[in-house]
Amino acid sequence: MNVLEVKEIKKSFGSKKVLDGVSFSVPENCVFGFIGRNGAGKTTTMRAILGLLKTDDGEINVCGEKISYGCVPKSCSIGFLPDVPEFYGYMNAREYLMLCGEISGVGKTELKKRISELLELVGLDKEKHRIKGYSRGMKQRLGIAQALINSPKLLICDEPTSALDPVGRKDILDIISAAKERTSVIFSTHILSDVERVCSRVAFLEGGKTVFSGSLEDIHAKRRNTALDLTLAHTEDIKRVLSAFPKGKETDTGIIVPNASDKECADLMAFISAQMIPITCLERHEADLEDLFMEVIGK
């Protein structure tokens, strides 16, 4: 069963078309990567899913119930973590979650139990300090606990790792991965390595359109051949190589040839040898999610 279904939603602000037929679905107990460049329409889509933005066309269903502007589903709740969550700095984590739970209508007995579970999940169960002294990573972890306080069927995280250091990013990714045992997660980001680590399904958003939606296996199936990565000793030789292999794409230090066949690899090696072009590295590697995304959006 799909927890979320987004069907051909459109939205314009004045003459600017921000969403132009976005469609994707999120199954139960899944971490879903919502991928796109800054300005691609990710946040606008999430605001529409939350009922905070009126769309011009299309349909959004959460747990089988249609979402409309200002209306949230009665059959299940939605949790939300914005990219920069705000808190009452004079409270500690437990006090803040108590307030959020009371506002959400969670019973007191259940709320105390749930707060203890969530603080342990996000690694703040032993933290007694006021929130104003929290680091950015600690605030993100508390934000996830807050978003899960009402046991939502769908958790939406808007670029939760974008401003964190490597340790903080790892902590948040581990929490998101663990959270799928209790909910489905939409993980919006432009950090593609994070998506490969925790997501099982993805949607690529570009220019307000869904250019691909499916499992990571589906994406890699589109590109079974490996890419050929050539690093040149002298960057002035890049043009010479590209003139013979126009399929290649220029990098800072050489070229990369996507979907390189065995013959193309042999031809490139023969050309380099015949032209006596010095190189520092020539390797074949399976295309990662970044390679695939850049190809899908035509870059």
Side-chain angles (χ1 to χ4, degrees):
M1 174 183 173
N2 291 326
V3 173
L4 171 67
E5 293 183 345
V6 177
K7 304 175 183 177
E8 293 292 324
I9 63 171
K10 299 180 180 181
K11 179 63 181 178
S12 295
F13 295 101
S15 60
K16 182 176 178 58
K17 186 174 290 186
V18 179
L19 302 179
D20 189 20
V22 173
S23 299
F24 60 91
S25 59
V26 179
E28 291 181 317
N29 301 109
C30 166
V31 180
F32 187 92
F34 197 36
I35 306 169
R37 295 185 287 183
N38 292 331
K42 302 189 300 297
T43 298
T44 301
T45 302
M46 289 184 287
R47 289 177 63 196
I49 295 169
L50 290 163
L52 300 176
L53 182 70
K54 185 177 181 179
T55 57
D56 300 329
D57 200 2
E59 185 174 316
I60 301 172
N61 293 284
V62 176
C63 298
E65 187 172 342
K66 186 176 180 179
I67 297 292
S68 58
Y69 176 57
C71 297
V72 295
K74 298 181 178 63
S75 57
C76 69
S77 57
I78 304 175
F80 177 57
L81 173 67
D83 56 345
V84 183
E86 297 289 343
F87 305 95
Y88 295 112
Y90 61 86
M91 292 182 169
N92 62 34
R94 191 171 295 274
E95 291 169 341
Y96 180 73
L97 292 180
M98 183 66 70
L99 173 64
C100 294
E102 290 173 352
I103 292 174
S104 300
V106 182
K108 287 188 177 182
T109 302
E110 175 63 23
L111 181 56
K112 289 181 179 179
K113 177 184 176 183
R114 196 172 297 175
I115 288 173
S116 296
E117 292 176 349
L118 290 174
L119 288 176
E120 183 176 357
L121 172 69
V122 301
L124 294 175
D125 50 318
K126 294 179 174 59
E127 184 58 53
K128 307 298 183 184
H129 294 87
R130 293 182 181 182
I131 299 171
K132 66 179 181 180
Y134 281 16
S135 66
R136 177 68 184 271
M138 293 171 70
K139 288 181 178 179
Q140 292 293 84
R141 284 186 273 154
L142 179 57
I144 293 177
Q146 171 271 319
L148 291 171
I149 196 67
N150 57 347
S151 299
K153 293 291 185 181
L154 178 66
L155 171 62
I156 300 176
C157 299
D158 188 3
E159 301 198 2
T161 62
S162 61
L164 301 180
D165 60 34
V167 174
R169 282 174 55 200
K170 179 182 182 302
D171 290 343
I172 296 300
L173 293 175
D174 289 344
I175 293 168
I176 288 174
S177 183
K180 72 179 179 180
E181 299 298 324
R182 60 180 75 201
T183 186
S184 295
V185 183
I186 295 181
F187 175 38
S188 160
T189 186
H190 56 268
I191 304 175
L192 300 184
S193 59
D194 290 352
V195 173
E196 288 194 292
R197 177 172 173 177
V198 299
C199 298
S200 56
R201 299 183 66 83
V202 300
F204 288 162
L205 198 65
E206 174 66 13
K209 297 178 181 289
T210 309
V211 292
F212 181 87
S213 180
S215 68
L216 288 179
E217 289 79 9
D218 291 338
I219 293 176
H220 285 292
K222 294 170 68 71
R223 287 278 305 277
R224 293 201 178 277
N225 289 333
T226 56
L228 186 62
D229 196 350
L230 172 66
T231 302
L232 300 170
H234 307 298
T235 55
E236 57 265 28
D237 290 325
I238 292 176
K239 300 300 183 185
R240 292 173 60 192
V241 178
L242 285 176
S243 65
F245 295 87
K247 179 181 175 181
K249 298 180 180 180
E250 183 174 348
T251 65
D252 291 338
T253 57
I255 69 168
I256 185 167
V257 182
N259 285 322
S261 65
D262 291 339
K263 182 179 184 305
E264 287 174 318
C265 183
D267 289 345
L268 180 58
M269 293 174 65
F271 176 81
I272 292 170
S273 177
Q275 297 294 318
M276 301 182 66
I277 297 175
I279 67 172
T280 58
C281 183
L282 175 62
E283 62 179 342
R284 302 188 68 177
H285 62 86
E286 183 177 347
D288 59 18
L289 194 59
E290 182 173 356
D291 296 327
L292 299 169
F293 179 64
M294 297 302 284
E295 182 174 329
V296 165
I297 66 174
K299 296 292 183 180

